[in-house]
């Protein structure tokens, strides 16, 4: 309300006061949607540092912390009710797919409520390049387009990329070794590292976290922690390697026949945990089943899947409705292969109306672990399947705590071996000082940014976006808020995603003079109070 | 008597019904997109629609309400949006955890408060009395979470006497849940939150006992006993205290109910997997079937406590007659 | 005629209302006031005498508008105001004021004397200024012989003696300059030494200002000092009424006679007699048939149990007894 | 009204404990009023040393009496700034609570009948409401700022005052001075608010003190559970900051002062309430 009254009042004032030179309307106060300080201190602080920088430009900035998840998520994703939002997108293996942080976020076709283009950014070149890379299966050829796309985005600045906080976790080295540790973006949560964990106590590896498993039903899952644990129990055709490249898991070979046809050869002789063999029928069943029953999370990834055809015992053909390069990582790399002999009759057996209601507390999967017990809200115990081709080394015990603080304390005391909960950046040295604790720093592929509402009254001006980006005290944020434990990035595809990241782009720097010059060049002016005015 | 009972039961039921209804509509009628509190807006729009249908949220509001009420009559609280687990199963265990923390500590606090309160009334005007009143009030005036934090700081982190939180040690969870409550490990975890809660809850019974005792001591029959030469400590614990216990006993159920409601804070500090913690988590996740159910359960305990206190008061106090 | 009460009745029904929606209990009818007629001229004091439970307090509450009569007429200056009270309570209260029995309970302990005395003016919304309010309060207090009034204005009731409090009550009643004052046992809770000064005060006010006073008491001893007329109430009815002197000299109703016999005589040489009636006043929900006094009447005859006595009178002296003014019976009784 | 307040202070001043708590409370009040002026730094202002480095987690010193926080904020300044929200929230809540509670109690007790039944059922319902859980749910739905926190607390806390006042009104309305007022032409409104209300003021004042104590603690608890107003530094939020930063072990100067401040303030409020209550009404026991 206020936002609409003020410019009007300002306009009336300026027209009556006969200013010597032409001055546009005063830039209205910037509504900066951010996180509540209490629980998300670092996100909130980051936004407050950004706001301070912008105030130097003559902008009036109002921080608007909203409770998370609601209504903050609602304002962020559904209502797009902000001028700037403190966007913090978490990393995930499948988000290594370059489409996710570029085209999916900035293509004007994705501006609907609930979709990813929350800033309602629209640019023809971005749309065009985005569409183009989707149809290129050859990684190198596709890479060129993705790099160019990043360049265009760098110029247009739909958001100011701050960087990503390094996620630091720790283990108790007295009880645990991880000989084959790989620096995956998801660190100790990565299946590649969990497979490598060796318990020195002869017991299961005890890992502390704060979130309980929601369910072991892959059709019902929709949060990251659920998928992590599901992938211990169920196999996928493809698994994203720690380096961001797809690796074969159940698949032994993948051939892109043409833009809309992909053939997958299945690993031979693998069985489910109940001893039944895993066949091409199970694979076809799984994809058809997820699509037929509209598993909520997978809906988007199965949209372009037209048909699954069993070529012969070991080969499955996927027919797509249109070219979709992310299909391999996003679809083959995410759909779990479930046994047809269990799920095929689950509705009749249990009397539920759809498979999403199935609790699946005793899951039968082909993965490297099987579920031993699940004390809901307290503990989950996975027993390793020694004969699995991924060669798990120890049993895993996930212990659920009420808060991250307690997980940290329990690790310090030796009650648990691993803290899956990232340590708050500023306490890391305290953990490092303790001898038996070993620190793991991981560089996630998620990132923080100030996302402008590019369709909004204020940030529809490209120059203002560019100037705002140059008025952010990046170094201070990294040093003071994130305790130095952060990497910066110029692009939304962060450096850890090395293959797709465009490293030719210079990091944006805090340069208030340059920022002001950009504004001057674009015709912005300041009044006697130092408040910024739009160009005439 | 029967009419009194029926009336009180009817009032309690009415109270619960209004709360259930209020809670149901509060979630759906407050400003903002009602489903935004239910389904993560970050989900792909089509996925949102699918989820809405899955949870029955595509039905008209009044239908949802009737379905909700109908299911409540068979103790079906719906399915958690987060875990997809029937809420009833989820909260049952949590409630037991809350009760094993709150009940013993409250009863102990009452017991201790009554004894000390009676003794201090006897020694009224002494320095010890003044000090204890101050201490008890100060403890009651301290935010219980802060007390808990200091306890963790000192007893767990510094002296390493107790675990920092949680209900059993990781990996020590027995196969059957009931076994847990009888394990030493469990008691070890219970100790610190138990002590903190006792310290916090001690004040009320202490002051109540002290003031009732002070008025009891002034009564004639105590003087009479004294004149008859009954020993002082016998007068204290036999005559005076017995007659002062009534107001204390009758408030216990009500205070218990309130303590359950207040367990939210202490469970959060000690990461105690009880009903209160579940509720805070569920609020954070907008998992409102769980919020509604745990709220309802806590409400049943508080309403039940008040009801019980009312009935006890009526039963135990000969001066009260039923209307 | 200042006040003309005609056949006034107040009946309560117990056990009715919500709790009896389902006919769970038998409603009981209580006839607290059961057909009372009274008349009062300005400047006159009417004494209303009876045992507790006879309905005199209910009658008083009706007269000051605290309760509405069930039936009967209530004429004030010739106008029937029974209906008027409902619609225009405020105006009615300006004309009729009450002095209560308990000077401790009838003053709001949280108010100063000034507040207590000015509140009636405020409630009446007369639109007086603060200064005017104060002046009128002082006048009223002076009239009630609280002198010097200024000294008492900021005091609280608990700082005053019983007699002073009753004067404040009277001042509160006077401040609205009423035409009629109903005083319900105004001296029964006061020390003997103060009683007479209050009685004298009331008497003086009535005469000086020409207002009507209904003086309610259960105790006949103070009556001759103040009352012009007297009405004796028994179980909701006036059983005997007339000029004060007539009644004291020639009481004709056995109940009045019993009351007179029981009342202490100011002359200490005269031994206080005992009432020659037995038992307690019956419950108003269970009024005896015939003459309502017959179960306790020393002279009761068979007809008393069946026939309700008609009113008999001699001049202004009236009585409800089958044998009223019957010399023979009187003589036997005196014997 | 004013008279009752003055009376309150004079009664409290009579006892030894009351005197001390009144002094303590006055100090807290003046901190709340003057604190922001006296505070060397802003509530969220970061402190840099001469070299331009953030002064992080500095232990108490002459420059920083209570040390600094993880983000380089002066704890002493935060304590001073935090007094105001604690007391504002507490006092407003207590006042609102009592205004609602007294009115409900007056109306229910005086009007009786259906109004009484309805209001008492309403009170029963609110008495059965689990206090903190209800406030959390309410805040999660309506947004977290000082005003919703105050409203949420008020919505729950009026219940006990209402009950006590109603019981008192039931006996007051039978007193003769009510009939006396009625015969002078007082309307129901006059009787409720001019005759009865002054007599329940002592109960209201006792209610205010206990509500104040409760509100201060509850506000801190809400902050600790993460439902506090994110734009306001209060004693509760300082504790939460320290807790969430996992710094309480390393920086006791950060977590201890706000807890002690709350303890001292609330204790003094309790003692004032009790000192007054003992004189005014020896019958009612302090209830939660």
């Amino acid at each position: 309300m206020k936002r609409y009254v003020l410019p009007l009042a300002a306009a009336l004032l300026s027209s009556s006061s006969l200013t010597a030179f032409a001055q546009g309307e005063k830039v209205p106060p910037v509504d900066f949607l951010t996180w509540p300080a209490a629980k998300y201190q670092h996100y909130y602080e980051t936004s407050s540092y950004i706001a301070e920088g912008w105030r130097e430009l003559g902008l009036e900035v109002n921080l608007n912390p909203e409770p998370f998840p609601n209504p903050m998520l609602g304002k962020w994703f559904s209502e797009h009710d902000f001028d700037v939002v403190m966007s913090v997108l978490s990393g995930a293996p499948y988000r290594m797919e370059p489409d996710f942080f570029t085209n999916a976020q900035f293509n004007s076709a994705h501006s609907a409520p609930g979709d990813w283009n929350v800033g309602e950014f629209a640019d023809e070149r971005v749309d065009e390049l985005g569409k183009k890379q989707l149809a290129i299966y050859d990684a190198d050829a596709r890479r060129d387009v993705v790099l160019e796309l990043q360049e265009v985005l760098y110029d247009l600045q739909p958001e100011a990329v701050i960087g990503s906080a390094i996620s630091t976790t720790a283990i108790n080295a007295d009880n645990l070794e991880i000989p084959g540790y790989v620096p995956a973006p998801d660190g100790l949560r990565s299946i590649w590292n969990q497979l490598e964990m060796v318990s020195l106590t002869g017991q299961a590896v005890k890992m502390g976290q704060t979130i309980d498993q929601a369910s072991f039903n892959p059709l019902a899952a929709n949060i990251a922690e659920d998928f992590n644990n599901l992938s211990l129990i169920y196999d996928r055709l493809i698994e994203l390697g720690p380096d961001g490249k797809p690796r074969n898991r159940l698949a032994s070979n993948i051939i892109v026949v043409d833009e809309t046809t992909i053939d997958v050869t299945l690993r031979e002789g693998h069985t489910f945990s109940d001893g039944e063999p895993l066949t091409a029928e199970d694979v076809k069943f799984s994809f058809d089943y997820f699509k037929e029953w509209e598993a909520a999370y997978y809906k988007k990834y199965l949209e372009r899947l037209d048909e699954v055809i069993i070529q012969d015992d070991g080969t499955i053909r996927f027919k797509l409705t249109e070219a979709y390069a992310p299909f391999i990582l996003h679809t083959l790399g995410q759909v779990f292969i479930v046994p047809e002999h269990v799920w095929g009759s689950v509705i009749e057996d249990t009397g539920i109306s759809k498979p999403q209601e199935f609790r699946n507390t005793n899951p039968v999967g082909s993965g490297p672990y099987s579920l031993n017990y699940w004390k809901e809200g307290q503990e989950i115990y996975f027993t390793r399947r020694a004969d699995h081709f991924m060669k798990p080394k120890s049993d895993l015990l996930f212990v659920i705590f009420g808060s991250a603080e307690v997980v940290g304390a329990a690790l310090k005391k030796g009650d648990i071996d691993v803290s899956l909960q990232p340590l708050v950046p500023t306490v890391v040295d305290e953990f490092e000082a303790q001898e038996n604790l070993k620190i793991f720093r991981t560089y996630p592929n998620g990132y923080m940014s100030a996302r402008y509402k590019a369709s909004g009254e204020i940030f529809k001006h490209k120059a203002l976006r560019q100037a705002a980006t140059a008025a952010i005290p990046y170094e201070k944020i990294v040093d003071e808020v994130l305790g130095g434990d952060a990497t910066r990035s110029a692009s939304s595809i962060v450096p850890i995603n090395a293959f797709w990241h465009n490293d030719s782009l210079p990091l944006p720097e805090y340069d208030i003079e340059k920022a002001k010059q950009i504004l001057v060049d674009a015709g912005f002016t300041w009044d006697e109070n130092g408040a910024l005015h739009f160009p005439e | 008597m029967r009419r009194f009972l029926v009336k009180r039961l009817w009032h309690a039921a009415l109270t619960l019904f209004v709360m259930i209804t209020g809670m149901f509509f509060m979630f759906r009628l407050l400003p903002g997109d009602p489903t935004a509190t239910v389904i993560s807006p970050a989900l792909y729009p089509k996925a949102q629609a699918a989820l809405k249908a899955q949870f029955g949220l595509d039905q008209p509001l009044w239908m949802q309400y009737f379905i909700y009420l109908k299911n409540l009559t068979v103790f079906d609280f719906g399915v958690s949006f987060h875990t997809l687990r029937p809420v009833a199963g989820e909260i049952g265990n949590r409630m037991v955890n809350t009760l094993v923390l709150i009940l013993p500590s409250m009863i102990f606090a009452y017991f201790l408060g009554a004894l000390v309160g009676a003794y201090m009334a006897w020694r009224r005007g002494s320095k010890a009395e003044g000090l204890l009143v101050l201490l008890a009030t100060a403890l009651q005036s301290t935010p219980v979470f802060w007390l808990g934090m200091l306890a963790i700081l000192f007893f767990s982190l510094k002296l390493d006497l107790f675990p920092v939180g949680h209900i059993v040690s990781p990996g020590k969870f027995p196969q059957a849940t009931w076994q847990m409550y009888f394990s030493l490990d469990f008691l070890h975890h219970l100790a610190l939150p138990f002590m903190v809660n006792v310290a916090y809850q001690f004040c009320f019974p202490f002051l109540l006992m002290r003031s009732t005792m002070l008025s009891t001591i002034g009564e004639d029959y105590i003087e009479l006993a004294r004149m008859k030469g009954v020993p002082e400590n016998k007068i204290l614990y036999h005559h005076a205290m017995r007659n002062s216990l009534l107001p204390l006993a009758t408030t216990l159920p009500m205070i218990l109910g309130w303590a359950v409601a207040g367990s939210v804070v202490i469970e959060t500090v000690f990461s105690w997997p009880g009903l209160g913690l579940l509720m805070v988590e569920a609020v954070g996740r907008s998992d409102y079937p769980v919020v509604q159910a745990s709220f309802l359960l806590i409400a049943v305990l508080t309403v039940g406590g008040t009801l019980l206190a009312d009935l006890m008061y009526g039963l135990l106090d000969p001066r009260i007659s039923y209307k | 005629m200042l006040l003309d009460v005609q056949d006034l009745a107040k009946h309560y029904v117990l056990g009715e209302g919500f709790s009896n929606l389902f006919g769970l209990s038998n409603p009981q009818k209580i006839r607290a006031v059961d057909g009372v007629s009274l008349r009062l001229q300005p400047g006159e004091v009417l004494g209303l005498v009876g045992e507790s439970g006879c309905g005199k307090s209910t009658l008083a509450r009706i007269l000051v508008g605290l309760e509405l009569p069930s039936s009967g007429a209530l004429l004030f200056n010739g106008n029937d105001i029974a209906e008027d009270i409902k619609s225009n309570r405020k105006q009615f209260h300006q004309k009729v004021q009450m002095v209560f029995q308990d000077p401790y309970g009838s003053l709001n302990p949280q108010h100063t004397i000034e507040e207590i005395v000015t509140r009636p003016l405020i409630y009446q919304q007369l639109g007086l200024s603060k200064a005017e309010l104060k002046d009128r309060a002082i006048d009223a207090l002076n009239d009630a012989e609280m002198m010097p009034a200024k000294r008492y204005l900021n005091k609280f009731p608990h700082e005053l003696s019983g007699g002073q409090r009753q004067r404040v009550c009277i001042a509160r009643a006077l401040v609205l300059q009423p035409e009629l004052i109903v005083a319900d046992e105004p001296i029964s809770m006061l020390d003997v030494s103060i009683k007479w000064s209050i009685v004298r005060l009331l008497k003086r006010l009535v005469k000086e200002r020409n207002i009507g006073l209904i003086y309610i008491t259960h105790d006949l001893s103070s009556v001759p000092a103040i009352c012009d007329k007297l009405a004796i109430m028994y179980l909701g009815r006036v059983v005997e009424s007339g000029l004060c002197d007539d009644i004291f000299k020639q009481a004709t109703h056995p109940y009045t006679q019993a009351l007179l016999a029981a009342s202490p005589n100011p002359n200490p040489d005269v031994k206080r007699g005992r009432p020659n009636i037995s038992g307690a006043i019956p419950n108003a929900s269970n009024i005896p048939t015939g003459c309502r006094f017959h179960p306790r009447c020393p002279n009761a005859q068979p007809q008393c149990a069946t026939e309700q006595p008609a009113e008999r009178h001699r001049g202004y002296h009236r009585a409800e007894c089958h044998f009223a003014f019957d010399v023979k019976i009187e003589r036997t009784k005196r014997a | 009204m004013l008279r009752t307040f003055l009376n309150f202070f004079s009664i409290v001043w009579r006892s030894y404990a009351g005197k001390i708590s009144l002094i303590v409370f006055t100090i807290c009040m003046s901190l709340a009023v003057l604190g922001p002026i006296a505070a060397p730094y802003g509530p969220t202002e970061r402190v840099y040393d001469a070299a331009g480095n953030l002064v992080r987690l500095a232990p108490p010193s002459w420059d920083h009496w209570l040390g600094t926080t993880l983000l380089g904020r002066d704890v002493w300044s935060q304590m001073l700034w935090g007094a105001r929200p604690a007391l504002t929230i507490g006092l407003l809540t207590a006042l609102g609570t009592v205004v609602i509670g007294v009115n409900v109690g007056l109306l229910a007790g005086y009007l009786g009948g259906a109004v009484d039944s309805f209001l008492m059922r309403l009170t029963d319902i609110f008495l059965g409401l689990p206090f903190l859980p209800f406030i959390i749910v309410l805040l999660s739905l309506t947004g977290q700022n000082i005003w919703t926190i105050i409203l949420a607390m008020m919505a729950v806390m009026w219940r006990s005052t209402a009950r006590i006042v109603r019981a008192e009104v039931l006996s007051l309305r039978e007193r003769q001075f009510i009939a006396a007022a009625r015969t002078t032409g007082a309307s129901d409104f006059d009787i409720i608010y001019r005759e009865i209300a002054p007599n329940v003021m002592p109960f209201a004042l006792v209610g205010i003190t206990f509500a104040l104590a409760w509100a201060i603690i509850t506000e801190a608890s809400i902050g600790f559970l993460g439902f506090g107003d994110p734009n306001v530094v209060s004693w509760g939020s300082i504790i939460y900051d320290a807790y969430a930063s996992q710094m309480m072990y390393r920086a006791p100067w950060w977590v201890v002062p706000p807890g002690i401040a709350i303890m001292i303030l609330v204790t003094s409020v309790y003692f004032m309430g009790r000192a007054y209550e003992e004189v005014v009404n020896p019958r009612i026991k302090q209830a939660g």
Side-chain angles (χ1 to χ4, degrees), chain A residues 69 214 220 374-376 378 400 402, chain B residues 83-85 166 173 175 271 284:
Chain A
W374 174 27
K375 294 280 170 195
E376 289 172 11
Q378 288 166 344
I400 294 117
Chain B
T83 63
L84 305 174
R85 190 182 301 166
H166 216 51
F173 203 87
Q175 275 308 308
S271 196

Side-chain angles (χ1 to χ4, degrees), chain C residues 6 8 12 34 59 107 110 115 145 160 203 238-239 259 273 299 315 328:
Chain C
Q6 292 169 0
L8 196 75
Y12 298 100
D34 201 16
L59 181 61
L107 297 178
Q110 295 288 330
E115 282 171 321
E145 294 168 6
L160 304 183
K203 177 102 183 167
V238 173
V239 291
L259 281 181
N299 311 336
K328 209 168 111 196

Side-chain angles (χ1 to χ4, degrees), chain A residues 111-166:
Chain A
S111 302
D115 214 339
W116 283 102
N117 189 355
V118 294
E120 295 169 9
F121 179 77
D123 180 80
E124 276 177 25
R125 272 188 75 205
V126 171
D127 291 356
E128 181 196 316
L129 287 167
K131 198 170 175 230
K132 194 167 152 198
Q133 55 88 28
L134 272 184
I136 309 172
Y137 284 87
D138 176 62
D140 289 321
R142 188 177 171 205
R143 181 168 179 257
D144 293 336
V145 184
V146 172
L147 294 185
E148 190 186 345
L149 181 55
Q150 289 175 65
E151 235 166 88
V152 175
L153 288 171
Y154 184 77
D155 175 53
L156 296 173
Q157 286 293 329
E159 63 180 349
V161 178
I162 311 294
S164 25
I166 295 172

Side-chain angles (χ1 to χ4, degrees), chain C residues 89 93 97 100 102 105-106 108-111 115 119 123-124 172, chain D residues 3 175-177 179-180 182-186 190 194-195 198-199:
Chain C
R89 216 164 58 80
H93 286 307
Q97 278 300 308
F100 291 84
D102 176 10
S106 57
N108 193 330
Q110 295 288 330
H111 287 163
E115 282 171 321
R119 275 296 150 91
Y123 294 150
Q124 289 292 344
R172 170 173 63 192
Chain D
R3 194 158 67 216
R175 299 270 290 274
Q176 258 186 7
F177 66 83
R182 194 165 272 281
T183 58
T184 58
D190 291 330
R194 290 182 153 140
E195 298 289 335
N199 286 284

Side-chain angles (χ1 to χ4, degrees), chain A residues 144-466:
Chain A
D144 293 336
V145 184
V146 172
L147 294 185
E148 190 186 345
L149 181 55
Q150 289 175 65
E151 235 166 88
V152 175
L153 288 171
Y154 184 77
D155 175 53
L156 296 173
Q157 286 293 329
E159 63 180 349
V161 178
I162 311 294
S164 25
I166 295 172
S167 150
T168 313
T169 46
I171 66 164
N172 186 334
D174 290 349
N175 297 338
L176 179 71
E177 266 181 3
I178 314 178
Y181 181 81
V182 282
D186 47 351
L188 296 174
R189 274 197 190 278
S190 164
I191 187 171
W192 302 110
N193 288 328
Q194 293 186 348
L195 287 166
E196 290 298 317
M197 289 178 179
V198 181
S199 168
L200 302 177
T201 58
Q203 296 174 332
V205 177
K206 289 176 239 169
M207 300 194 268
Q209 61 180 27
T210 57
I211 300 170
D212 189 17
Q213 189 76 6
S215 88
F216 283 100
N217 182 339
L219 280 85
N222 54 27
I223 60 169
E225 286 81 359
D226 279 2
F227 289 116
N228 280 340
N229 288 349
L230 279 170
S231 106
L232 301 177
I233 289 179
Y234 294 100
D235 284 319
R236 296 158 167 145
L237 290 175
I238 293 291
E239 188 71 32
L240 184 86
D243 48 0
K245 287 197 187 127
R247 291 186 187 178
N248 290 338
R249 188 162 166 181
L250 275 179
S252 61
N253 194 19
I254 291 184
I255 300 160
V256 179
V257 180
D258 61 50
E259 271 192 353
T260 57
T261 314
I262 295 151
D263 281 357
V264 175
T265 317
L266 203 59
R267 182 184 291 270
E268 276 174 26
H270 192 57
T271 59
F272 286 105
S273 56
D274 61 355
E276 296 283 325
L278 188 152
T279 65
E281 273 80 17
D282 289 312
V283 177
K284 175 178 162 58
F285 169 80
S286 299
F287 281 88
D288 289 346
Y289 198 66
F290 277 58
K291 193 170 163 83
E292 178 194 348
W293 287 104
E294 309 199 310
Y297 174 81
Y298 293 97
K299 223 168 149 47
K300 186 165 193 169
Y301 305 113
L302 289 167
E303 238 175 3
R304 297 180 179 85
L305 176 62
D306 186 29
E307 201 183 349
V308 184
I309 305 155
I310 300 178
Q311 299 285 89
D312 56 58
D313 271 1
T315 320
I316 304 117
R317 166 160 295 182
F318 292 88
K319 291 292 291 176
L320 307 186
T321 52
E322 59 182 303
Y324 183 49
F327 185 77
I328 292 174
L329 244 178
H330 271 172
T331 314
L332 299 184
Q334 290 205 87
V335 173
F336 293 111
I337 307 305
V338 298
E340 186 175 8
H341 63 270
V342 174
W343 291 83
S345 58
V346 80
I347 290 182
E348 298 85 78
D349 292 350
T350 56
I352 50 179
S353 59
K354 46 187 138 186
Q356 275 89 337
E357 292 165 16
F358 185 44
R359 302 271 357 266
N360 198 23
T361 44
N362 196 7
V364 176
S366 66
Y369 297 87
S370 61
L371 182 66
N372 180 337
Y373 67 78
W374 174 27
K375 294 280 170 195
E376 289 172 11
Q378 288 166 344
E379 296 183 348
I380 314 168
Y381 193 108
F382 294 100
T383 314
R384 73 187 181 119
R385 289 178 70 199
D387 55 342
H388 192 272
F389 57 85
M390 289 173 101
K391 298 191 176 52
K393 299 221 163 47
S394 290
D395 291 356
L396 304 178
L397 172 65
F398 291 83
V399 186
I400 294 117
F401 288 87
S403 67
E405 292 77 22
V406 185
V407 181
L411 179 72
K412 266 201 231 166
K413 282 201 64 198
D415 287 346
I416 51 171
D417 306 332
V418 180
S419 159
L420 289 179
Q421 224 55 42
L423 304 174
V424 180
T426 38
V427 298
V428 169
D429 51 339
E430 192 182 319
F431 279 70
E432 229 163 7
Q434 203 162 326
E435 257 177 38
N436 58 338
L437 296 186
K438 195 173 164 200
I439 299 289
F440 288 88
R441 289 202 163 76
T442 49
Y443 299 83
N445 60 335
Y447 70 105
M448 297 160 80
S449 66
R451 175 73 60 91
Y452 306 117
K453 176 139 178 207
S455 67
E457 183 191 2
I458 302 173
F459 289 107
K460 69 181 178 199
H461 298 269
K462 180 177 130 189
L464 191 51
R465 296 200 300 267
Q466 289 171 330

Side-chain angles (χ1 to χ4, degrees), chain C residues 149-203:
Chain C
K150 276 194 178 138
R151 233 180 67 198
Y152 296 102
L153 287 180
N154 290 321
K155 293 216 153 134
F156 284 92
H158 63 85
E159 296 170 281
L160 304 183
S161 70
Q164 287 174 317
R165 284 185 221 191
Q166 200 58 298
R167 285 177 203 277
V168 173
C169 292
I170 292 169
R172 170 173 63 192
L174 287 177
V175 77
L176 287 177
Q177 294 162 347
E179 295 168 46
L180 173 67
I181 292 179
V182 178
D184 186 3
E185 311 239 14
I187 59 169
S188 69
M189 293 182 75
L190 301 178
D191 290 345
V192 184
S193 55
I194 299 164
K195 281 186 179 181
W196 296 105
S197 66
I198 297 289
V199 167
R200 273 196 302 273
L201 167 65
L202 285 172
K203 177 102 183 167

